[in-house]
Amino acid sequence: MMLRKENQNTEFKETWHDEYLKWICGFANAHGGILYIGIDDDGNISGLPNSRRLLEDIPNKIISLLGIVCDVDLLVENGKEYLRITVLASNVPISYKGTYHYRSGSTKQELTGIALQEFLFKKMGISWDNVACSSATLDSLDDKAIKYFINKALKSGRIPAEMDIYDKTAILENLNLMTPEGCLKNAAVLLFAKNPQRFFTAVQFKIGRFGKDETDLLFQDLIEGNILQMADRVIEILSSKYIIRPVHYERLERIEPLEIPEDALREVIFNAIIHKNYSGAPIQMRVFNDRITLWNEGELPVGFTPQTLLEPHSSKPRNKNIANVFYKAGFIESWGRGIRKIVDGFKTAGFPEPEFAIKDGGLFVTIFRTQVTEQVTEQVTEQVTEQVRRLLSVLDAELSVREILDRLNLKHRPTLMVDYIQPAMKLGLIEQTQPEKPKSPTQKYRKKR
């Protein structure tokens, strides 16, 4: 027999125990596989003395407890009998006594929580954004956000000019954002809600400015609100606090473009927003002197790798309804060209190509800042002053104004407020927890969480 070795599709067990039905369940829920009974972990045949009885018992247990049919074959080598159980991938979810298992790599995992939800949606051919959000109503939506979409979509020419832009229900139905029963779908809430965080806590975009490494957080911002206008807000905050606008002149006109190609940067942000797993963590952008990284949670489609994204490929958006609205608004193309468009945008502008990798269950993008000048360093130094750094160093708990004054060895409250607390508050580094009376020394502050 060929050299035997366990892998993602092969598992060895020396003897049979009914709990191994979990492994069969895991293979069926993944890509199929083979379970050998009577072979040790090193691939040596140990043999089964009761192989004939198991040949009859195991198929019956698989059918009764898993509801699937598997081929169970009796094999013989050097006089030793062993079993081969061949499991085909199932196109419906398979459970074992109410629990779901999945073969990932060479291990079996029990699926729970968000992972289970994602698995069930995928098996049933449902995208999360297509599910009804029963607690949301039409009153939950922001008319200004819908008007923003209509203006963009009319300008792009991707909705008919004769559409009734005053009939909110008709607009949502046309965009496939309502169920046949008239309930709003998750996508409608994410795209247009006044406060989508009320329904989904992960509708957030975090930006942090870092110094020497990821442990050196200087200041940060948290962008919330509907995802349709989120990219605009992100670009606005980035250009005001995080990245520079080098000045040059074309004849008499003063030109201040972003240091990074704005269209390509916006495409990176759109990609993160559209393909995010909204049951997971917020989108996270880290800005360093020499690079910007962006991470959004959400696995790539099955069989896709970062290299696949750079090549011609079919479009397989995680959130189909969200992608459709972004397309009709003219923000993206619909043919899986997003990553290629990002790369081409940076290359055309003379920048290094961004790097793409899979990290912590999501797509991790690295953009390189080529204009690492004194202006970048000064941008951070000007905002995070020595006084702010001193304040952060002593603010290891919730402290009153009096306690902070004592720790910083300061005598005058106005000096503390103007040079220390107010700049730190403006940068989002600290927060006031107990306002008390105005100008009261019992006011308390802590580092922002």
Side-chain angles (χ1 to χ4, degrees):
M1 202 175 168
M2 293 176 62
L3 180 65
R4 290 172 285 261
K5 188 175 181 180
E6 288 185 318
N7 55 43
Q8 67 270 22
N9 301 116
T10 307
E11 181 80 21
F12 299 147
K13 301 294 181 185
E14 286 194 72
T15 59
W16 171 260
H17 298 285
D18 284 353
E19 72 169 17
Y20 294 153
L21 289 166
K22 298 176 183 178
W23 272 257
I24 296 173
C25 176
F27 278 132
N29 283 328
H31 309 294
I34 298 176
L35 177 64
Y36 288 97
I37 310 298
I39 298 181
D40 65 22
D41 290 341
D42 296 323
N44 302 312
I45 298 175
S46 54
L48 284 173
N50 58 346
S51 58
R52 304 283 172 168
R53 178 175 61 81
L54 291 175
L55 187 62
E56 182 177 340
D57 289 348
I58 291 176
N60 291 331
K61 290 179 178 178
I62 293 174
I63 292 175
S64 62
L65 292 172
L66 299 178
I68 59 176
V69 176
C70 297
D71 289 333
V72 181
D73 300 309
L74 177 64
L75 305 176
V76 181
E77 186 174 335
N78 296 329
K80 295 180 179 180
E81 296 181 337
Y82 62 102
L83 298 178
R84 179 180 63 202
I85 304 172
T86 305
V87 187
L88 298 179
S90 173
N91 58 3
V92 297
I94 303 299
S95 68
Y96 170 70
K97 295 184 177 180
T99 61
Y100 292 84
H101 302 268
Y102 191 86
R103 179 77 172 193
S104 179
S106 59
T107 62
K108 178 195 71 64
Q109 301 173 348
E110 181 177 339
L111 300 176
T112 59
I114 294 173
L116 176 58
Q117 181 189 74
E118 286 277 300
F119 164 75
L120 293 175
F121 283 158
K122 185 181 295 184
K123 279 292 183 181
M124 294 185 292
I126 300 173
S127 64
W128 177 87
D129 71 332
N130 201 47
V131 176
C133 182
S134 57
S135 56
T137 67
L138 288 175
D139 289 337
S140 305
L141 304 185
D142 185 352
D143 291 342
K144 292 180 180 178
I146 295 176
K147 183 178 179 180
Y148 172 87
F149 164 75
I150 292 295
N151 290 336
K152 293 290 184 180
L154 288 173
K155 185 177 180 180
S156 72
R158 291 176 178 174
I159 62 170
E162 62 272 15
M163 177 182 285
D164 185 353
I165 61 175
Y166 300 103
D167 188 336
K168 187 187 302 185
T169 300
I171 293 170
L172 295 172
E173 288 177 344
N174 184 270
L175 294 173
N176 193 34
L177 297 180
M178 297 186 74
T179 68
E181 297 75 28
C183 185
L184 292 178
K185 295 182 179 180
N186 288 340
V189 176
L190 291 172
L191 289 159
F192 301 123
K194 299 170 186 173
N195 182 17
Q197 290 73 31
R198 173 187 163 198
F199 304 93
F200 311 112
T201 57
V203 191
Q204 298 174 324
F205 198 115
K206 296 176 67 176
I207 308 175
R209 183 59 166 96
F210 293 80
K212 58 182 182 296
D213 55 39
E214 293 192 1
T215 65
D216 186 20
L217 176 62
L218 303 177
F219 52 90
Q220 61 185 331
D221 283 281
L222 182 64
I223 294 94
E224 296 182 320
N226 73 72
I227 64 172
L228 187 68
Q229 296 171 285
M230 185 172 280
D232 286 347
R233 295 191 293 273
V234 171
I235 292 291
E236 181 181 351
I237 289 177
L238 281 175
S239 61
S240 65
K241 294 175 61 175
Y242 290 86
I243 54 182
I244 62 175
R245 288 184 175 273
V247 178
H248 71 276
Y249 290 87
E250 294 181 5
R251 295 190 176 181
L252 297 178
E253 184 179 2
R254 179 186 173 99
I255 307 295
E256 296 183 64
L258 284 178
E259 60 169 285
I260 293 169
E262 185 169 341
D263 288 345
L265 177 61
R266 192 176 288 270
E267 190 78 26
V268 174
I269 296 169
F270 283 147
N271 187 76
I273 293 171
I274 293 168
H275 298 291
K276 173 178 161 43
N277 172 6
Y278 282 96
S279 299
I283 300 171
Q284 298 169 29
M285 176 178 279
R286 291 173 168 83
V287 181
F288 300 87
N289 281 358
D290 62 342
R291 69 192 186 282
I292 298 173
T293 66
L294 180 68
W295 176 84
N296 66 285
E297 186 170 356
E299 299 283 356
L300 294 179
V302 175
F304 276 43
T305 67
Q307 183 59 36
T308 306
L309 302 177
L310 298 172
E311 302 167 351
H313 63 275
S314 57
S315 178
K316 295 184 179 181
R318 168 183 295 275
N319 302 303
K320 297 177 183 178
N321 291 323
I322 292 173
N324 178 54
V325 171
F326 272 69
Y327 167 72
K328 288 186 174 177
F331 293 160
I332 63 168
E333 299 297 331
S334 65
W335 304 110
R337 291 191 63 252
I339 300 298
R340 187 70 257 168
K341 186 176 178 181
I342 292 168
V343 172
D344 290 345
F346 277 88
K347 287 177 63 178
T348 301
F351 281 72
E353 294 185 17
E355 294 181 353
F356 301 88
I358 302 301
K359 181 178 180 181
D360 300 329
L363 185 64
F364 188 83
V365 185
T366 302
I367 298 169
F368 300 99
R369 303 178 74 179
T370 60
Q371 301 186 38
V372 184
T373 64
E374 291 183 3
Q375 186 177 353
V376 173
T377 306
E378 289 171 1
Q379 175 200 47
V380 177
T381 306
E382 288 173 2
Q383 296 187 72
V384 186
T385 63
E386 184 59 35
Q387 288 93 329
V388 170
R389 290 180 183 273
R390 285 186 61 203
L391 173 62
L392 296 176
S393 69
V394 302
L395 202 62
D396 53 7
E398 184 181 60
L399 301 177
S400 68
V401 170
R402 174 54 58 196
E403 290 170 324
I404 298 173
L405 284 168
D406 291 342
R407 291 196 178 195
L408 292 174
N409 196 26
L410 296 175
K411 295 181 179 180
H412 303 295
R413 185 180 185 281
T415 299
L416 172 65
M417 298 305 296
V418 173
D419 294 339
Y420 294 79
I421 289 180
Q422 289 177 3
M425 290 277 286
K426 184 178 180 181
L427 293 171
L429 298 175
I430 67 172
E431 59 186 353
Q432 191 175 12
T433 58
Q434 294 187 29
E436 297 285 341
K437 298 178 182 179
K439 299 185 179 180
S440 168
T442 59
Q443 287 176 315
K444 290 191 175 182
Y445 298 87
R446 68 183 177 195
K447 289 183 182 179
K448 197 167 184 180
R449 295 173 179 174

